[in-house]
Amino acid sequence: MSDAAELAELLGGEAASSDLLRLVTCGSVDDGKSTLIGRLLYDTKQVLVDQMEHVAQTSERRGDGYVNLALLTDGLRAEREQGITIDVAYRSFVTAKRRFQLADAPGHVQYTRNMVTGASTADVAVVLLDARKGVIEQTRRHALIASLLAVPHLVFAVNKMDLAGFDEARFREIEGELDTLTAQLGVGDAFAIPIAALHGDNVVEPSPRMPWWTGSTLLAHLEAIETAGDRNLADRRFPVQWVIRPMSDEHHDYRGYAGQVAGGIWHAGDDVLVLPSGLRTRVLAVESADGPIDAAVPGMSVTIRLEDEIDVPRGDMLVDPDDRPATARELEATVCWMSERPLQPGARLAVKHTTRTVRAIVEGIDGVVDMDTLEQHEAAEMALNDIGTVRLRLSGPLMVDPYAVNRATGSFILIDEATNDTVAAGMVRSVRA
């Protein structure tokens, strides 16, 4: 049985059919992102009657001349302005085929760090373009970030086709530029769809004004994307978040290790290696909040019980003895710098990786990416929103995989210990023991 088939079987029919898809929407400020989100919510009937009445009244008062669905995102914008969810606002919606969690990332260049936050957990990045402008710097920037963060699926929504006369030749021209861009970035799954979010063309319903487009609508494409194969089901990884040892007489001998599965499929009877101690044992049981389960897959929060009473504190990692992650003392990583204060070699920071935190010193900055050329150039420091490559020397071992192999065990954040601020998001490129 294939990994994807086993995952589908483990999830079960109903659960598999309602599989959650995490989206991040990005695009320049005037590309129509708010209108697209509003259109998706309205056409999938996720908007309450009183909300629509409020939007209609506000549109009339503003003199828009139409019901401005972009106003439906006002709640998201208000949330963002309050500083909640570090400037990325989230919204969930459901269709008959799937559940969606949408991360709305700001479009301004200075908010690149926010897009990194939204894209870090996304299955799909929806990048908007204005059909009149075609591929611009922000398109390249957002596609680059999505590829660096290994977002498995990329969808280019070529918007405002109404202002381009619904012209197929214009769409094909942009599609060709996007093919060149995604080939340069090495993106595996990318798809372009011509839409007009203002009128709903090809967003949820097919457009009668673009009969030349025989592909899916945006929603139909999102509903059909397969994500089972995106999860790392091959490499068993379980960072220990919490040790459960009840003090009651009833559970006096109970000892379980709680956390979220970061890789592989976990069953009772699996051989286990505990890192960094190197102790070996077996899985006695895998339990959810409802009791023992047959197996656990990436993303599931479970408790794992072991056959032997060995010392396994928070921050340790349970792994497959025959398939170990690297135990790293030095890292080479791609970093998005999120602080107003520039990063310079010699900086001392904390590295939070899965459930483990160690201190680190920045040994060097190897380069920063030029968003115009997508090439890396030498730099003495990294400024706010820069994306580049750094080398870190760690005070203690971290158990890591390359980010391209496992997004959970290949990612980390950097913390300024003086302020406790998160100052960077990092992705492991290579390690040295």
Side-chain angles (χ1 to χ4, degrees):
M1 184 182 293
S2 69
D3 288 342
E6 185 173 3
L7 176 62
E9 182 178 308
L10 288 169
L11 288 173
E14 184 178 348
S17 66
S18 61
D19 188 20
L20 176 66
L21 191 75
R22 295 180 175 87
L23 307 174
V24 58
T25 56
C26 38
S28 289
V29 181
D30 298 322
D31 287 347
K33 190 158 56 70
S34 296
T35 303
L36 175 62
I37 295 170
R39 174 60 65 181
L40 271 173
L41 296 176
Y42 178 73
D43 285 0
T44 55
K45 299 182 175 26
Q46 311 289 314
V47 184
L48 300 175
V49 173
D50 60 338
Q51 285 179 299
M52 274 312 299
E53 289 175 351
H54 174 71
V55 168
Q57 291 167 2
T58 305
S59 301
E60 184 177 356
R61 188 168 60 248
R62 287 160 44 111
D64 288 336
Y66 60 93
V67 177
N68 188 352
L69 295 177
L71 298 175
L72 285 170
T73 62
D74 271 1
L76 300 179
R77 190 173 298 116
E79 182 181 6
R80 179 185 305 151
E81 288 169 353
Q82 291 169 36
I84 301 170
T85 62
I86 44 179
D87 288 340
V88 179
Y90 293 87
R91 182 73 178 257
S92 296
F93 65 100
V94 179
T95 68
K97 296 182 179 178
R98 191 161 226 170
R99 293 182 296 126
F100 296 90
Q101 184 186 68
L102 187 152
D104 178 26
H108 295 80
V109 174
Q110 62 266 38
Y111 294 136
T112 297
R113 56 182 171 174
N114 308 103
M115 188 202 156
V116 171
T117 302
S120 61
T121 57
D123 302 302
V124 182
V126 179
V127 182
L128 266 79
L129 299 81
D130 185 325
R132 298 168 300 174
K133 300 175 183 174
V135 177
I136 61 175
E137 179 184 340
Q138 276 293 70
T139 313
R140 290 192 292 273
R141 179 187 296 270
H142 292 155
L144 170 66
I145 294 171
S147 69
L148 287 174
L149 289 166
V151 179
H153 310 279
L154 207 55
V155 178
F156 293 101
V158 182
N159 194 23
K160 302 190 181 182
M161 286 297 296
D162 50 328
L163 301 182
F166 298 104
D167 183 28
E168 179 180 6
R170 177 56 181 152
F171 173 73
R172 298 302 178 194
E173 181 185 1
I174 296 171
E175 189 180 41
E177 294 179 39
L178 292 171
D179 287 344
T180 302
L181 174 64
T182 52
Q184 185 180 2
L185 295 174
V187 175
D189 179 25
F191 191 67
I193 301 176
I195 68 169
L198 183 63
H199 308 290
D201 296 85
N202 286 337
V203 177
V204 173
E205 301 296 334
S207 171
R209 295 184 284 191
M210 287 183 273
W212 47 266
W213 176 252
T214 57
S216 303
T217 65
L218 176 61
L219 181 65
H221 181 73
L222 295 175
E223 287 180 328
I225 287 176
E226 292 285 345
T227 59
D230 301 335
R231 309 187 195 195
N232 186 323
L233 302 178
D235 309 309
R236 283 195 287 120
R237 307 283 187 262
F238 187 81
V240 175
Q241 185 174 11
W242 191 254
V243 181
I244 301 175
R245 292 187 65 191
M247 294 294 108
S248 64
D249 291 339
E250 183 183 0
H251 300 97
H252 183 75
D253 295 325
Y254 186 97
R255 181 190 289 256
Y257 303 97
Q260 188 175 59
V261 177
I265 302 173
W266 290 81
H267 310 84
D270 286 337
D271 290 327
V272 170
L273 178 70
V274 182
L275 293 177
S277 68
L279 298 172
R280 287 176 177 251
T281 182
R282 284 188 176 182
V283 176
L284 177 65
V286 179
E287 300 174 346
S288 71
D290 298 322
I293 56 177
D294 292 336
V297 297
M300 292 177 67
S301 294
V302 297
T303 298
I304 290 180
R305 298 177 62 193
L306 302 177
E307 286 187 352
D308 301 301
E309 289 193 11
I310 56 179
D311 184 26
V312 184
R314 171 186 166 87
D316 278 11
M317 187 181 289
L318 310 182
V319 305
D320 183 344
D322 298 323
D323 179 21
R324 308 181 186 189
T327 300
R329 287 283 188 174
E330 295 183 24
L331 295 177
E332 182 188 53
T334 300
V335 161
C336 177
W337 187 245
M338 300 177 172
S339 173
E340 303 276 356
R341 186 176 177 181
L343 174 67
Q344 296 175 331
R348 296 175 184 274
L349 300 162
V351 181
K352 187 175 188 312
H353 170 264
T354 63
T355 58
R356 194 177 185 85
T357 302
V358 299
R359 289 178 172 168
I361 184 168
V362 179
E363 284 204 319
I365 298 172
D366 290 342
V368 171
V369 177
D370 183 325
M371 290 298 166
D372 289 324
T373 63
L374 303 183
E375 295 176 352
Q376 187 162 283
H377 59 81
E378 292 185 3
E381 63 180 26
M382 291 182 68
L384 174 66
N385 292 317
D386 274 351
I387 296 174
T389 305
V390 302
R391 283 172 282 114
L392 301 173
R393 182 153 48 86
L394 310 174
S395 64
L398 289 178
M399 289 65 74
V400 303
D401 293 294
Y403 186 80
V405 175
N406 190 315
R407 293 173 76 186
T409 56
S411 61
F412 59 87
I413 58 173
L414 295 177
I415 299 169
D416 183 335
E417 290 187 294
T419 62
N420 210 30
D421 289 339
T422 298
V423 292
M427 293 145 280
V428 175
R429 293 165 63 98
S430 63
V431 303
R432 277 189 288 174

